[in-house]
Amino acid sequence: MDSRLFIALLTPALTLIFALAFVVLWTYQRRRHYILGLAFAYTACALGFVLQNFPQPLGELASSIASNLLLTAAMLSLAIAAVTRYGRRVPLVALGLLGFGGMAVWGWFRIVQPDQMERIFALNFAFGAISLLIAAELRAVKNKGGADKVLMILALMAAADFYIRPVGAFWIDGSYRDQDDFYLSSYWIMTNFSTALFSVLIALSLVGAVGLDVLRELQVESRTDPLSGLLNRRGFHEKSAVCLGGAAGYRLPVALVLADLDHFKLVNDTYGHAVGDRVIAAFAAHLRALGGPKAIVGRIGGEEFAAILPASDLGAARLFAEGVRAALSQEAIAGLPLHATQITASFGVAARHGNEDLGSLMRRADDALYQAKNNGRDSVRLAGHSEDVLSLAPKPLRSG
């Protein structure tokens, strides 16, 4: 195999391998549609270089147009996929102007006023601007991880390559007399090797980023209760421990609310588990909505819930519990007959003493919850207080 054939096959072979890798990855992560966009980008890039190096089947002009259209489509698809991965709005207008604007200028210097170097500058500068746009979008992403920073750096490096390579090649080679002269030029050799290099680096970075995304989702799932969408016991204890540690350092108050749905087993036995699941989901929604973004809310048992309220004292936590109790008493649960007594819950509230740990805080809140359960349910009780705080809702379902 001579050196020209090796260079001609290098980039298409590598990009097709990564295109296949992205297709395989997409079959396992179908909801990540941007992976399919990456597969298309790498496939289009491979086909573009094949037509560029082997124009005979279509003819020189048709191959040249098709090749550069494919390369432009590959660049745009890569940009769209990269931006979509972060859930950001894709700047379609800017991308369209850069991609198709560059292609239009290329077409002018290919058909109307033929000039090889002007064509090279037109597409390379357009691709460089697209790379800068990708870098700008990645820079705006908050809480970037290592893979995200690598992708941003690669986008900047690719932009520099698109701008420097044609200028350097023109300075070395001057203009090209014919196509054979072009395919042996330092520009074309550098283009193939730089495209192959960036294809490998970007693909590896994106595969790593997808892997990290999946790992983060698995970590979240291992700490989340699927029915309520709240933290499970493990996740609640982990986040609460971190919260208590931070609050102790700043001497901020923290309160804990424990809640238990009244006669929940009777609901399941009477109306079925589907209705019971809807009760769980509705109660969780009230806890999450009234707790706000800073509250740490979890489902720590079948019908048992807990909420850590940062920067809240006993009074604020009591108001939170009362609000949730009142909201639940007015909730219309699908599948629960209109004549049925409304679902209710009991609450135990405790405020942290000094640097009290989570276990001690939960024991005191649990004692208050036990008092609420033993005194008619549907009430809020405060740790260290003997009086009933609230008992205004309709009486709960009774087992007999």
Side-chain angles (χ1 to χ4, degrees):
M1 181 183 296
D2 61 28
S3 59
R4 178 173 173 177
L5 183 58
F6 172 77
I7 293 171
L9 294 176
L10 175 64
T11 300
L14 284 174
T15 48
L16 276 177
I17 289 171
F18 283 112
L20 179 61
F22 283 123
V23 169
V24 172
L25 184 59
W26 176 74
T27 61
Y28 291 96
Q29 296 287 321
R30 289 181 180 270
R31 62 189 182 81
R32 301 179 191 275
H33 302 296
Y34 68 86
I35 297 177
L36 204 57
L38 294 172
F40 173 80
Y42 273 75
T43 302
C45 181
L47 293 176
F49 271 88
V50 167
L51 288 175
Q52 193 77 249
N53 285 294
F54 304 100
Q56 293 82 3
L58 297 180
E60 186 179 322
L61 178 60
S63 266
S64 181
I65 294 173
S67 169
N68 286 285
L69 280 173
L70 284 167
L71 293 175
T72 302
M75 196 69 198
L76 293 175
S77 183
L78 180 62
I80 291 170
V83 174
T84 301
R85 175 182 174 264
Y86 295 95
R88 295 183 58 79
R89 183 178 179 183
V90 179
L92 290 175
V93 174
L95 288 174
L97 288 174
L98 290 171
F100 295 109
M103 193 64 201
V105 175
W106 178 91
W108 175 270
F109 288 111
R110 181 66 175 86
I111 300 171
V112 180
Q113 188 178 332
D115 189 307
Q116 182 88 296
M117 289 308 303
E118 296 295 344
R119 296 201 298 271
I120 290 173
F121 284 128
L123 275 189
N124 275 276
F125 284 12
F127 290 174
I130 292 172
S131 299
L132 288 177
L133 186 58
I134 296 173
E137 290 292 331
L138 296 180
R139 185 178 183 276
V141 174
K142 296 180 180 179
N143 302 318
K144 287 189 288 290
D148 308 321
K149 293 176 182 178
V150 168
L151 283 172
M152 185 179 70
I153 292 171
L154 286 175
L156 290 171
M157 291 174 62
D161 176 68
F162 281 123
Y163 288 124
I164 294 172
R165 177 167 35 86
V167 174
F170 180 71
W171 180 72
I172 295 171
D173 298 332
S175 58
Y176 306 116
R177 293 183 299 275
D178 52 37
Q179 286 299 102
D180 287 336
D181 193 28
F182 170 74
Y183 288 125
L184 294 174
S185 68
S186 58
Y187 167 77
W188 188 240
I189 294 172
M190 287 190 293
T191 295
N192 276 271
F193 279 106
S194 67
T195 302
L197 176 62
F198 279 109
S199 294
V200 171
L201 293 176
I202 291 173
L204 291 177
S205 298
L206 286 167
V207 169
V210 172
L212 289 174
D213 289 344
V214 173
L215 181 60
R216 278 193 291 266
E217 285 189 1
L218 290 175
Q219 290 175 336
V220 170
E221 288 175 2
S222 71
R223 292 165 173 78
T224 304
D225 171 57
L227 176 58
S228 65
L230 303 177
L231 295 169
N232 58 21
R233 177 179 286 273
R234 175 186 175 185
F236 177 78
H237 278 266
E238 288 179 356
K239 291 198 71 173
S240 296
V242 173
C243 175
L244 292 179
Y250 291 99
R251 297 183 178 179
L252 294 174
V254 177
L256 170 66
V257 176
L258 293 183
D260 190 277
L261 290 167
D262 298 327
H263 301 290
F264 185 69
K265 183 177 184 303
L266 184 58
V267 173
N268 276 332
D269 293 343
T270 305
Y271 302 109
H273 288 278
V275 174
D277 289 349
R278 286 194 283 272
V279 171
I280 292 288
F283 189 55
H286 291 309
L287 288 168
R288 187 166 41 239
L290 294 175
K294 294 184 179 180
I296 300 169
V297 186
R299 182 187 179 198
I300 59 174
E303 63 267 25
E304 301 172 33
F305 298 80
I308 285 283
L309 306 176
S312 298
D313 58 13
L314 195 63
R318 169 184 169 176
L319 289 175
F320 162 78
E322 291 172 352
V324 174
R325 189 198 64 80
L328 180 65
S329 69
Q330 299 170 17
E331 177 79 17
I333 305 295
L336 196 65
L338 294 176
H339 65 271
T341 306
Q342 280 296 326
I343 304 299
T344 62
S346 301
F347 299 81
V349 181
R352 188 186 193 189
H353 291 160
N355 290 336
E356 184 179 19
D357 63 22
L358 180 62
S360 174
L361 185 60
M362 290 192 74
R363 281 191 294 273
R364 293 195 300 110
D366 192 56
D367 288 341
L369 175 60
Y370 182 78
Q371 292 175 22
K373 284 290 192 182
N374 282 347
N375 287 273
R377 296 179 169 82
D378 188 22
S379 61
V380 178
R381 298 289 296 222
L382 308 181
H385 291 248
S386 59
E387 73 278 6
D388 286 331
V389 177
L390 268 182
S391 185
L392 301 178
K395 291 182 179 180
L397 291 165
R398 297 189 180 275
S399 56

